[in-house]
Amino acid sequence: GAGVSQSPSNKVTEKGKDVELRCDPISGHTALYWYRQSLGQGLEFLIYFQGNSAPDKSGLPSDRFSAERTGGSVSTLTIQRTQQEDSAVYLCASSLAQAVTEAFFGQGTRLTVV
Amino acid sequence: GDSVTQMEGPVTLSEEAFLTINCTYTATGYPSLFWYVQYPGEGLQLLLKATKADDKGSNKGFEATYRKETTSFHLEKGSVQVSDSAVYFCALSSPYNTDKLIFGTGTRLQVFP
């Protein structure tokens, strides 16, 4: 596609349920990033992929969070046993190389845990 | 650790007014500095950047100067338009870790005709 695509755009889930958020990067972009924006907070780095490997996953807030990337393309961020504090907008970005400043961002997935 | 602090919004202006959105940072070494913009319903976009002290980034009439002495990177525009209404994020990238951006909390700008 022309840009980074994220789905769903909105997700409401019950506390304790698992959710999967999807990111389709721009074709050919080898680097992929996940960020989170909580209410009143800046964008918080979660994880970075180069190809299918994640050299930096230092931002994942707990072991309930995991992410994978397959075929050097689509990435899925999974949150297990969701908590209310997980409510946020989750943003994905991709870039041609390891240069996040040249990255293109998707419109995000707004997750609400009730 | 490294951090970015920017003024809280919303900032409300009339069209053609002068805009300043303050941004200060804390970082080790010499980071690169950025302003991103998020227009309603759109993804985050890079607006401008500066990679060393005294550099001035500019784009679409917006400017910001990298001030090492005051650790600041304030965003300015001489005459705002309604179409500039958006959320603006200040960010930095450490020279020791280029795979992540550290963002401020964002400032919402509302411009009225």
Side-chain angles (χ1 to χ4, degrees), chain B:
Chain B
D2 297 349
S3 65
V4 174
T5 302
Q6 61 182 107
M7 64 189 291
E8 294 195 15
V11 174
T12 304
L13 295 173
S14 298
E15 206 164 25
E16 300 183 1
F18 185 86
L19 168 71
T20 300
I21 300 178
N22 290 337
C23 171
T24 57
Y25 68 90
T26 301
T28 302
Y30 294 86
S32 294
L33 302 173
F34 311 88
W35 278 100
Y36 280 78
V37 59
Q38 187 169 34
Y39 298 104
E42 297 185 17
L44 207 62
Q45 303 172 24
L46 177 64
L47 179 60
L48 54 84
K49 67 180 181 182
T51 58
K52 60 182 187 294
D54 300 324
D55 266 4
K56 177 184 287 187
S58 61
N59 187 22
K60 299 181 180 180
F62 290 89
E63 293 183 340
T65 301
Y66 189 142
R67 300 288 188 198
K68 182 68 175 176
E69 63 276 15
T70 54
T71 62
S72 65
F73 193 55
H74 304 321
L75 182 68
E76 296 181 336
K77 186 173 185 181
S79 176
V80 293
Q81 305 300 310
V82 172
S83 58
D84 293 326
S85 298
V87 181
Y88 293 82
F89 294 89
C90 186
L92 70 82
S93 173
S94 167
Y96 307 109
N97 190 346
T98 59
D99 66 348
K100 67 178 71 169
L101 285 166
I102 298 171
F103 286 88
T105 55
T107 301
R108 181 175 298 277
L109 171 64
Q110 297 174 320
V111 181
F112 294 95

Side-chain angles (χ1 to χ4, degrees), chain A residues 35 42 48 56 58 101-102 107, chain B residues 34 41 49 89 99-101 104:
Chain A
Y35 281 81
Y48 154 67
D56 189 349
S58 61
T101 63
E102 305 297 336
Q107 294 187 31
Chain B
F34 311 88
K49 67 180 181 182
F89 294 89
D99 66 348
K100 67 178 71 169
L101 285 166

Side-chain angles (χ1 to χ4, degrees), chain A residues 13-69:
Chain A
T13 189
E14 292 180 353
K15 178 181 173 181
K17 301 277 191 180
D18 298 351
V19 294
E20 284 188 353
L21 312 180
R22 177 188 170 103
C23 173
D24 284 270
I26 293 173
S27 178
H29 280 193
T30 58
L32 186 147
Y33 316 83
W34 283 98
Y35 281 81
R36 175 171 76 172
Q37 184 179 20
S38 305
L39 186 64
Q41 302 295 316
L43 279 80
E44 173 190 13
F45 170 81
L46 297 178
I47 188 170
Y48 154 67
F49 286 93
Q50 182 64 265
N52 291 334
S53 64
D56 189 349
K57 55 180 75 173
S58 61
L60 294 177
S62 75
D63 58 7
R64 296 186 295 105
F65 287 72
S66 62
E68 66 174 12
R69 188 177 185 195

